[in-house]
Amino acid sequence: RNTLLNEDPTVDGLKTGYTKAAGYCLVASAKRDGMRLITVVMGTSSPRMRKNETRSLLNYGFRFFETSTVHAAMTELENPRIWQGQADTVPVGIADAVLLTLPRGKARSLVTEIALERPLLAPLAVGDKVGTFTITLDGETVFDGPLAALAAVEQGGFFARLWDTVLMWFASLFDV
């Protein structure tokens, strides 16, 4: 009953329906140039109208929006100080790729902000959460995610941990 399947090769499914209360309905999915959209049309008066409205929504979505990889997996965002470890710093960033569907051309306007948990203490394993990152577009949050350690840092020896404890105390006095 989804006649778009025969008319548009990018449409690959989903569900048609009709009830007296809801009218003719169609949930359709389509994939073009690596971007998938899902539309929901409800309350139309005929199967033809349901198909036309769905086609209009899909064409609008594919014309005015794009899906882009904002950050690739394992993207390093910062290299902060880590205390009581065998290393002085640890690369932190995004463990999994971030893909967003945005208005065309807006990906260049995205701003990524990070918030680290302080203090970062060893040991850390790859993938351990060490903070959060937020991606905003025109002041509006479009994505929140965990900030992860991108390298493992083993705990330092006794004297290294003792020295870092003293340094952390001095740093806390000056809010560093």
Side-chain angles (χ1 to χ4, degrees):
R1 301 199 189 225
N2 182 356
T3 55
L4 281 174
L5 289 169
N6 300 327
E7 297 175 14
D8 185 343
T10 65
V11 175
D12 53 11
L14 282 172
K15 175 78 174 115
T16 63
Y18 172 80
T19 65
K20 190 173 184 177
Y24 289 90
C25 305
L26 174 59
V27 179
S29 68
K31 187 173 184 179
R32 296 179 191 166
D33 300 324
M35 182 170 91
R36 175 169 303 282
L37 291 180
I38 298 172
T39 62
V40 178
V41 172
M42 300 171 64
T44 62
S45 59
S46 70
R48 183 177 176 194
M49 183 180 276
R50 139 180 101 187
K51 176 186 74 171
N52 291 340
E53 293 299 321
T54 299
R55 180 185 293 126
S56 294
L57 278 173
L58 288 171
N59 288 337
Y60 179 86
F62 284 118
R63 181 175 183 187
F64 293 106
F65 291 85
E66 63 187 343
T67 298
S68 50
T69 302
V70 178
H71 292 291
M74 302 304 281
T75 299
E76 182 179 330
L77 296 179
E78 195 167 313
N79 202 8
R81 173 79 159 102
I82 185 165
W83 301 96
Q84 301 180 352
Q86 292 181 358
D88 291 332
T89 62
V90 60
V92 300
I94 300 164
D96 299 318
V98 176
L99 285 86
L100 295 175
T101 300
L102 303 164
R104 287 205 179 271
K106 287 290 193 172
R108 292 181 295 273
S109 302
L110 293 172
V111 176
T112 301
E113 298 172 0
I114 66 169
L116 286 167
E117 296 173 359
R118 299 282 184 180
L120 288 179
L121 299 174
L124 281 178
V126 174
D128 283 353
K129 183 181 175 196
V130 295
T132 58
F133 71 97
T134 304
I135 300 174
T136 58
L137 176 64
D138 299 330
E140 185 176 326
T141 299
V142 293
F143 189 87
D144 277 320
L147 196 61
L150 300 180
V153 178
E154 297 297 322
Q155 193 172 44
F158 173 76
F159 289 110
R161 291 192 321 266
L162 180 64
W163 179 247
D164 275 359
T165 301
V166 171
L167 291 178
M168 284 174 32
W169 181 75
F170 277 112
S172 72
L173 293 176
F174 301 105
D175 198 30
V176 177

